[in-house]
Amino acid sequence: MKPAILSIAPLVPDCQKQLEATYDVHRYDLSEDKDGLVASIGEQIKAVVTNGGRGIARDLIERLPNLGVVTSSGVGYDPIDVTACNERSIKVTNTPDVLTDDVADLTIALLLATRRNLIVGDAYVRNGKWGEKGPFTLTSSIKGKRIGIAGLGRIGRAIASRLEPMKPELGYWGRNPQSGIDYHYESDLLALAEWSDILIASMPGGAATQGVVSEKVLEAIGPKGSFINIARGSVVDEKALIATLGDGRLGSAGLDVFLNEPNPDPAFRALGNVVLHPHNASGTMETRGAMSQLVLDNLAAHFAGKPLITPVN
Ligand code: 8YV
C-alpha cells in the first residue's frame, strides 16, 4: 500500500505528478472541506508536504497521529511548529542551498531597482514624461556606500559576494562575529542600521527575529537610506515601515516579503519610494524544480529508512 501524504502546498507540476504516482496524496490545499478531509483521513497520514509560506501549525499536527515527517519546499521553516514536531519525534526537512543563488540575485535586483529608481524610470519612459519633462532625476551610487546585512547566513553571504564587485563597504549583524569574514561587525542591529546607508534583512523569521527591524532601526537607516527585505515580513515593524517611508524618515525600500501575504497592507500601494515584489526570490523554474525534487528525495529517504538529506530537527 502507498503511504498516505497530506499535500498542504503543491510541488512544481512534474514533481507533483511523481508525488502522486508514488504516494496516496490528499490535497489539503485544494480541499473545500479541510476539517472533513482531516477527520476522514487524518489517521492514515504518514507525511506532510508543505512550503515555507504555509508551514503546518500545532493544531493540524495534533490531528495527524501517525505523522512521521514534514517535508517543506523552502529554506525558512518559521511557519512549521517544530516544537510540536519534536514533542512527537516527527522529522522536519527544508530546502537550503538549492535556492541561495536565486534569492541572492533577486536581492541585488531589488536593491538596484530601489536605489536607481528603476520602476519609476520605466514609467517615465512609458508615459512620455521623458520627452515632456527632460532628463530623469539623478539617483545614488552603490560604490562607496555602507551596506549592512542583517543575518550573514548562506543567503546573506551570497548577497555579500555579489555586492563585493560593486565596491560598497560591507557590514553585518548576527549573534557572533564570523571567523574569516573581515566585514564590519555589529552585535546590535540598531548600531548596524546607524552605520549603514542600506540595510538588507536576510535573517530567518520566527519568534527570535519578530519585529527586530523596529521604528528606531528604520529611522537610523535614515532619509537617504534604504531597507531591503528578502527575509520575512515578520522581521520588521510594518506599520512603522509604512509610516517612515510615508513621512521621509526612511528614504526607500525594496520588499519581497510582507506580513500579510498575498494581500499586503494596501498602504504600500500609495508609496512612490518602495519597490514591491510578490515573495518570489526563489521563484525560478530551475530553483523551484530543485526545491521540489529535494522534497521528493527527502520523502524517499524517509520511507526507505535512510538518513534525511536536509533535516531541520
Ligand atoms: C518560498 C521561502 O517562496 O524558502 C523560503 O523560505 O520563503 C521561499 O523560497 C516559499 O517557501 C514558498 O515555496
Side-chain angles (χ1 to χ4, degrees):
M1 229 173 68
K2 292 176 177 176
I5 305 253
L6 194 68
S7 171
I8 294 180
L11 300 176
V12 297
D14 279 357
C15 292
Q16 185 69 25
K17 265 192 208 146
Q18 277 186 55
L19 184 78
E20 289 175 16
T22 317
Y23 304 99
D24 174 21
V25 175
H26 299 271
R27 296 292 300 261
Y28 184 83
D29 55 340
L30 301 182
S31 168
E32 282 176 10
D33 176 16
K34 295 190 190 326
D35 262 0
L37 175 72
V38 175
S40 67
I41 50 86
E43 279 201 13
Q44 301 163 31
I45 297 297
K46 298 279 183 343
V48 156
V49 173
T50 186
N51 70 18
R54 294 184 187 169
I56 182 168
R58 177 181 283 273
D59 57 344
L60 182 50
I61 295 168
E62 282 172 355
R63 297 180 69 196
L64 308 173
N66 295 307
L67 182 61
V69 67
V70 173
T71 55
S72 180
S73 176
V75 65
Y77 48 86
D78 45 301
I80 299 175
D81 195 326
V82 179
T83 308
C85 290
N86 287 338
E87 285 167 11
R88 283 188 25 220
S89 305
I90 297 166
K91 296 171 205 160
V92 178
T93 67
N94 65 344
T95 58
D97 299 318
V98 292
L99 47 64
T100 301
D101 288 320
D102 276 338
V103 173
D105 287 352
L106 197 278
T107 310
I108 302 300
L110 262 185
L111 172 75
L112 288 173
T114 303
R115 295 295 292 187
R116 302 299 302 272
N117 232 350
L118 199 78
I119 310 300
V120 179
D122 178 275
Y124 202 72
V125 179
R126 246 173 238 282
N127 60 26
K129 288 265 161 49
W130 188 16
E132 277 167 37
K133 296 195 165 181
F136 193 51
T137 331
L138 298 184
T139 61
S140 174
S141 304
I142 300 294
K143 182 175 165 182
K145 294 295 182 304
R146 288 176 163 181
I147 304 184
I149 302 179
L152 200 67
R154 280 177 280 233
I155 292 173
R157 285 195 296 273
I159 294 167
S161 73
R162 282 158 175 74
L163 286 170
E164 276 182 13
M166 298 183 199
K167 305 190 184 83
E169 258 185 84
L170 289 170
Y172 68 106
W173 166 77
R175 253 169 303 189
N176 299 300
Q178 296 189 19
S179 64
I181 302 270
D182 58 6
Y183 308 145
H184 175 84
Y185 171 71
E186 295 284 357
S187 60
D188 177 48
L189 184 54
L190 183 57
L192 182 70
E194 278 160 359
W195 177 90
S196 301
D197 298 299
I198 299 162
L199 185 76
I200 301 176
S202 62
M203 68 285 245
T209 56
Q210 176 90 34
V212 289
V213 181
S214 61
E215 184 160 11
K216 274 205 167 86
V217 167
L218 295 165
E219 284 173 339
I221 301 168
K224 291 188 178 162
S226 305
F227 171 61
I228 308 296
N229 192 2
I230 52 89
R232 286 288 184 261
S234 62
V235 305
V236 59
D237 176 344
E238 202 171 76
K239 287 276 171 242
L241 177 59
I242 290 165
T244 52
L245 283 168
D247 62 22
R249 281 174 289 157
L250 173 66
S252 56
L255 310 172
D256 183 48
V257 286
F258 303 86
L259 265 187
N260 190 21
E261 297 177 4
N263 295 297
D265 192 324
F268 281 116
R269 296 185 207 162
L271 296 168
N273 51 351
V274 59
V275 176
L276 307 171
H277 198 252
H279 195 155
N280 207 33
S282 69
T284 64
M285 290 178 291
E286 294 86 348
T287 286
R288 286 289 166 82
M291 291 160 72
S292 289
Q293 188 58 51
L294 192 46
V295 167
L296 289 176
D297 294 347
N298 272 307
L299 279 174
H302 172 77
F303 286 111
K306 291 187 181 155
L308 297 171
I309 301 157
T310 46
V312 161
N313 56 356

